[in-house]
Amino acid sequence: MNELLPAPNIVGALWRYRWSSLVVVVGTVLISVLVALTVGSAGAAQARIVLKSPDSVEALGYEVTSESGFVRYVNQRALFVTSDRVLESARKRLEASESIEELRESVEAKASDNGDSIVVRVDIGGAARSTEIANAVVAAYRRESEAEVSSAADSAVESLRSRRAELVEGEGNTPGSVSSTVSELDQRITEINIAAEQFGDGVSFTDKAVTDSSGALTVLLRDAFVGLAVGLLLAATIAWARADRNRRVRDAADLTRLSDEPLLGEIEALGEGTSARLHNLVVPPLGSYRLVASVLRNTVRGGLVAVTGVSVGDGATTTVLQVAGAAARDGLRVLVVDAAVRTRELSHSVALQNDWYGMAPIAAGAATVHASTRVIEVGPGIEFRVVPAGRAGEGAPDYFRSSLLRRAMVEARGGYDLVLVDLPPLESAPEVSALIPAADGVVLTVRRERSVAAWRRARERIELLGGKIAGHVFTFAAHGSPETSAESAQSAESRVRAPAPPVDRGGR
C-alpha cells in the first residue's frame, strides 16, 4: 500500500449517510419539540408592579437619595415579593392547593430592565392557573407592603408620642422650656401620618397578569431550532465517524494511493441511455475502454486475463465486453468466457443465455471448450468468440471440478491472442476461484464510493488464491475532463516495465 487515504470531509460524510443523518436530525428536532410541549413555559403568566419613589418617606425607614439607591430599593422589594410572608398571604387568599414550596419554585420576581418596576413571572402549569396566582401574588404584595408601611408609621408615631408625653409631663418642673420641642414632635407626627397615607402600599400601579399569546409558538420554534442545530452537529459527528471507519474510494487518485498495481483506466459514469449502448456490441467501444485494452496488452505477459469486481455492480462484465470489442477491432483474436454461471449476465448481453453449452457443463465434465465456443460479429469482418455460461441444474456449481476449470483455461489460451474471463465477485461465487491462479493476470474493477475494506478483502482473496493483479479499472468516476482517462492510462503504461507480448497467429 502506498499511503492512507485523507480523512473524509464532513459534507461528504453527511451526503454518504444522508438518510441516517436525516433520521438523526428529525429525531432530535422531534425530541426538542416534545420536551417543549411537556416541560415548556408556554403556560407562564407575567405581571408588573410599578413602585413609587420613597424619597419623601425617610421617616418610615426608606432612604433613597440616588438612582442607584432606587435600583437597590427595587431589588429589595422584588425579594419581598417572593418572601414566605407574601406567598403565604396569596396562598391563603386563593385557598390554593399548592404548597408554599411549590409556590416558591414557581414564582419569580426581579427588577425590570429599566429598573423602575418589578416583573412577577409565574409558571405553574396551565396559563389560567399561572395568571390567577400571579394576580394573587401582586395583590398579596400590596397588602403586605401597606401593612409594612402602616406598621412602620405606627411604630414611629408611637415613639414620638411617648417622647411628647414625657416632655409634657416634665414641663411642670420647668414651665415653658419644652413647648418648642413638643411643637416639633407634633409636626413630625403629622408629617409621618401624611407620608404614610400618601405612600400607602408603595405601588404606583400594577399591570394585570397576562400570558403571551405567541408564547407556545415561540417556545416551539426556539426549541425546534435548537434541536435542528444539535441534530446537525450530532448527525455530522456520527456520519464523520462512520465515514472515517468506512473509508471509500472516491476517485482514481485514491485508488492510486492505495495500490501498487497500475491503474489501467478511469471510466466516467454515463447517463442511462449511454450506459445501455455499452452492451450493444455493434457500437464502437468508448475511448476510455480502448485505452484500457491498449494498456492491458502491455501489462499482462500472457493472453489469459480474469476480470472481476470488488462487488456486484462494479462493471466487470461491461469492461470485458468493451475491451473485447476494442481488441477485436485492433485485429486480435479474442475469446470471452462467461464464468458467472449463476447470473449469466454476459451471456444475456450476447443473447446466449439459453445456450446449454458453456462453462457450467464444462466445469461439470459434460462439455468441452471447443463445443461451447460461439462466434459474435461486432462489425463487418470483425468478430470475437464467446463461451457462454451454459445451463446447469440447481446446485450444480457446488459440484464443479477445479481441475476441469483449469484444463479448460489451458485449452482456451492456445488459440487466441487474448482470453477475457468474466468472473463474478469471489465472495458470491467461490466455485470459480480455481480460475484465478490459471489466469496470467487479474483485472479488478472498482466502483466509485466502494468501501476500501471491501477492496482490500477482494485483493487479499486474489493473492491468497495465487492470482496476480494486473491492474485496476476505476468505474463510475465523476465527470471530469476528457484527458483524465488518458492520463491514467499513460501513468499505468509508465509503471509497467514488461514488454508487450508477441501476437501469436497460430492455432485455430
Side-chain angles (χ1 to χ4, degrees):
M1 308 301 165
N2 288 343
E3 58 179 282
L4 294 176
L5 295 181
N9 62 73
I10 293 178
V11 175
L14 282 171
W15 178 250
R16 183 193 301 178
Y17 301 108
R18 51 190 175 275
W19 298 117
S20 58
S21 298
L22 180 62
V23 170
V24 171
V25 173
V26 172
T28 307
V29 172
L30 289 177
I31 291 173
S32 299
V33 171
L34 288 176
V35 169
L37 292 174
T38 304
V39 298
S41 57
Q46 183 172 292
R48 187 170 63 138
I49 305 172
V50 179
L51 302 178
K52 294 178 180 178
S53 177
D55 52 0
S56 62
V57 290
E58 183 179 346
L60 297 178
Y62 303 106
E63 183 177 359
V64 175
T65 59
S66 63
E67 183 177 350
S68 61
F70 183 72
V71 172
R72 186 165 53 251
Y73 167 74
V74 173
N75 286 321
Q76 290 174 349
R77 302 314 295 173
L79 293 175
F80 183 64
V81 171
T82 57
S83 65
D84 288 352
R85 176 178 169 183
V86 173
L87 295 180
E88 185 62 30
S89 175
R91 180 173 175 273
K92 289 180 178 179
R93 184 68 174 260
L94 283 172
E95 297 182 354
S97 59
E98 294 84 1
S99 65
I100 190 69
E101 289 78 13
E102 290 175 326
L103 290 178
R104 189 182 300 114
E105 292 177 357
S106 304
V107 179
E108 176 186 352
K110 62 179 181 179
S112 63
D113 294 336
N114 56 14
D116 64 346
S117 61
I118 299 173
V119 177
V120 180
R121 187 174 182 276
V122 180
D123 186 4
I124 201 165
R129 186 58 176 170
S130 296
T131 302
E132 186 179 7
I133 291 177
N135 288 327
V137 169
V138 171
Y141 169 80
R142 300 192 70 166
R143 288 194 304 273
E144 297 303 321
S145 180
E146 186 173 9
E148 187 181 48
V149 171
S150 297
S151 177
D154 291 344
S155 178
V157 169
E158 184 62 27
S159 176
L160 292 174
R161 285 177 177 171
S162 297
R163 176 61 178 161
R164 182 182 185 286
E166 291 177 359
L167 290 174
V168 171
E169 186 177 346
E171 187 179 7
N173 299 324
T174 56
S177 60
V178 297
S179 58
S180 60
T181 304
V182 170
S183 178
E184 290 176 359
L185 290 176
D186 289 338
Q187 183 179 356
R188 188 63 174 162
I189 291 171
T190 302
E191 289 176 355
I192 291 175
N193 288 329
I194 293 174
E197 184 177 352
Q198 290 179 342
F199 192 67
D201 55 11
V203 175
S204 179
F205 65 89
T206 61
D207 289 335
K208 291 290 185 180
V210 294
T211 55
D212 188 358
S213 59
S214 63
L217 180 60
T218 301
V219 170
L220 288 178
L221 290 177
R222 181 197 64 197
D223 285 19
F225 180 78
V226 172
L228 177 63
V230 173
L232 285 173
L233 180 61
L234 183 61
T237 302
I238 295 174
W240 186 91
R242 291 179 65 187
D244 188 55
R245 293 188 60 180
N246 185 16
R247 299 283 179 101
R248 301 294 180 93
V249 182
R250 295 169 297 184
D251 49 38
D254 286 347
L255 192 55
T256 303
R257 291 190 189 99
L258 288 168
S259 175
D260 293 322
E261 291 83 26
L263 177 64
L264 304 178
E266 180 178 358
I267 314 301
E268 288 188 353
L270 304 173
E272 185 176 350
T274 308
S275 297
R277 296 178 60 191
L278 294 179
H279 289 260
N280 186 350
L281 301 178
V282 178
V283 178
L286 293 179
S288 52
Y289 281 111
R290 291 183 181 181
L291 287 171
V292 173
S294 299
V295 176
L296 187 61
R297 292 178 57 192
N298 293 329
T299 305
V300 182
R301 287 181 176 273
L304 180 60
V305 179
V307 182
T308 184
V310 171
S311 187
V312 176
D314 280 16
T317 300
T318 302
T319 299
V320 168
L321 290 173
Q322 288 283 301
V323 171
R329 285 173 170 81
D330 287 341
L332 274 67
R333 292 169 298 171
V334 181
L335 174 66
V336 173
V337 179
D338 185 2
V341 295
R342 296 176 186 266
T343 60
R344 304 194 297 275
E345 183 180 349
L346 188 145
S347 299
H348 278 276
S349 298
V350 295
L352 295 174
Q353 69 274 16
N354 296 320
D355 198 325
W356 182 87
Y357 287 92
M359 281 301 292
I362 289 173
T368 63
V369 172
H370 178 76
S372 302
T373 303
R374 306 289 181 262
V375 178
I376 302 296
E377 293 186 1
V378 296
I382 304 173
E383 63 182 26
F384 61 81
R385 287 170 169 77
V386 175
V387 175
R391 304 292 292 181
E394 185 177 354
D398 297 332
Y399 302 99
F400 282 2
R401 295 164 62 184
S402 299
S403 59
L404 292 178
L405 286 173
R406 287 193 293 269
R407 189 182 306 167
M409 292 302 99
V410 172
E411 182 182 349
R413 180 190 281 110
Y416 299 93
D417 302 324
L418 179 64
V419 179
L420 296 170
V421 183
D422 181 26
L423 289 180
L426 298 179
E427 61 184 7
S428 62
E431 67 274 358
V432 297
S433 59
L435 298 176
I436 293 293
D440 297 302
V442 179
V443 173
L444 189 60
T445 58
V446 185
R447 185 182 182 124
R448 179 168 58 94
E449 293 297 325
R450 183 62 66 200
S451 166
V452 173
W455 170 81
R456 284 184 175 140
R457 286 195 300 270
R459 190 175 183 275
E460 289 169 359
R461 287 192 187 98
I462 293 171
E463 292 177 345
L464 288 173
L465 290 170
K468 178 184 178 182
I469 298 178
H472 297 84
V473 176
F474 185 69
T475 59
F476 296 90
H479 289 279
S481 62
E483 291 81 7
T484 303
S485 297
E487 291 174 358
S488 301
Q490 291 173 3
S491 175
E493 288 186 9
S494 66
R495 295 172 63 178
V496 177
R497 297 291 181 260
V503 177
D504 183 9
R505 294 293 181 182
R508 299 163 61 178

